[in-house]
Each structure stands twice: as C-alpha cells, then as structure tokens.
Amino acid sequence: MRRIALFLAPTLVAVTGIAPAHAQADRNDPIACIYRVYHKSDWAVLVKVVRQGLVGQTGDEKAEVDRIGAATKRCRSQYGWGKKKEDLALRWFAGRVLSGDATFNLKKYGFDFEKLQALVARLDAPTRAAYLSGQVSNEQSQATLAALAAVGIDFASIPAEDRAMFAQKLSQGILGLVLQQEAEAAFSA
C-alpha cells in the first residue's frame, strides 16, 4: 500500500530533525491499534510521511507507508473495521505521531503532553478548528499564547532563535491532539 487516504489539515508540511520519543501513554483500545502494532523504524521519515498525508515520495517514505498499511490491515482484520473506523484510526495514529513529536521536541522548554492537553482544553472550539484547517487568526494565536502562559510556559522566555521552531511544533502538537480527540469522539459514536 503506497498511499493511504487520510484527511489531514493543509498545514501538514515536511519537517526535518525529528527524534523518536513520546510523552503519551500507549493505549490499549481499538483506535490506538495501528500505533500499537506499527513497528517504527525511522522517526524522522514517519513524521514526514504523516505530515504529507500518509504519502511517500522517496523509497524510504514509501516503505514507511507500506508498514503503516500493514499495521492498518492487521487492525482492520482484528477488529472488523469498516472504512469509517479505519479512517478514524488512521487520523488518531497521525495525531498521535504529530503530538508525540511536538512534545518530544518541546520538552527542553518544559512543555510535555500533560501541558499540551491542558493548553488544548483551554482553547475554544473555533480555535481548535482553526488549527485543523491551518487558518489560525492573530486573535486565536494570542489566545493560544495566553493558554500557553496559563499552563506555565511564557513564550517570551523562549530564546529568540528558537521561537519559530517552538511555534511550529506547538501548532503541530495542537493539531495532533485535536486530530486524536476528534477521531476518538467519532470512533466511539
């Protein structure tokens, strides 16, 4: 399987310099199956593939998509998923990868998965939707920075040379967690 249909926000663009790790606890429920059975190889390639909408361009990326496809097939068979459940599980998987990568990269600033959860909980529905669409307004960005401060991270304290990376990873983490939350809600409905 070289291409897996997945409806992700247009903000998913290629990233570089990613290292593997996750602050989230692995889950045992069916929606997390793809993540559980997927055998990670190269974290940077995985994140890039997810940000590209689960499409591989290079040989390594296509191999990654094939591994995701194999994990998806195994879970579909194990749980008897139809197309809707499979798509939701893939959305959850993508969100898990994005949020895990973001919190890994931001942990040196004191930002972990628990703080990401607390921050997203402080955002209103239109702001969460804006992160999904990639159309975050200045007011929503300000609300996000206020929520970030409320969870104990002052954006002004981030070194100036790291702020662009921090903001990008923060946006990616919010997108990832919102993808997970929405997929969970629809999966259990």
Side-chain angles (χ1 to χ4, degrees):
M1 178 182 295
R2 294 271 185 231
R3 180 179 174 102
I4 299 173
L6 181 67
F7 306 100
L8 292 177
T11 56
L12 300 182
V13 295
V15 296
T16 58
I18 310 307
H22 292 105
Q24 302 179 54
D26 287 331
R27 298 175 47 151
N28 289 321
D29 51 338
I31 198 168
C33 180
I34 298 168
Y35 189 82
R36 274 194 325 273
V37 304
Y38 172 75
H39 297 289
K40 298 163 210 67
S41 54
D42 184 332
W43 188 253
V45 174
L46 173 61
V47 173
K48 185 175 182 185
V49 163
V50 168
R51 291 182 61 100
Q52 294 172 170
L54 296 182
V55 175
Q57 306 294 326
T58 68
D60 287 346
E61 292 169 8
K62 290 175 182 177
E64 203 73 22
V65 171
D66 287 343
R67 283 188 286 279
I68 295 166
T72 301
K73 182 178 179 181
R74 179 175 166 195
C75 293
R76 182 178 52 240
S77 175
Q78 179 180 350
Y79 291 105
W81 291 340
K83 182 71 173 139
K84 180 181 177 185
K85 292 276 187 179
E86 178 181 315
D87 286 347
L88 291 169
L90 281 166
R91 284 179 67 90
W92 190 92
F93 171 82
R96 173 71 167 84
V97 168
L98 295 175
S99 62
D101 174 65
T103 55
F104 173 79
N105 281 281
L106 298 179
K107 71 181 178 180
K108 67 183 175 184
Y109 305 102
F111 192 77
D112 58 17
F113 186 69
E114 290 74 27
K115 286 186 179 178
L116 176 62
Q117 287 177 308
L119 182 145
V120 169
R122 292 178 167 275
L123 300 178
D124 61 19
T127 301
R128 289 189 305 270
Y131 278 96
L132 287 175
S133 72
Q135 302 295 318
V136 180
S137 71
N138 287 336
E139 294 80 20
Q140 291 165 327
S141 292
Q142 292 304 314
T144 301
L145 292 179
L148 184 64
V151 300
I153 308 290
D154 178 12
F155 187 71
S157 70
I158 305 299
E161 64 273 10
D162 295 346
R163 288 183 188 156
M165 179 278 300
F166 185 96
Q168 188 274 328
K169 290 297 180 186
L170 181 64
S171 293
Q172 175 185 299
I174 294 168
L175 170 63
L177 185 56
V178 172
L179 279 171
Q180 286 180 265
Q181 292 172 340
E182 289 191 353
E184 286 175 9
F187 195 89
S188 61

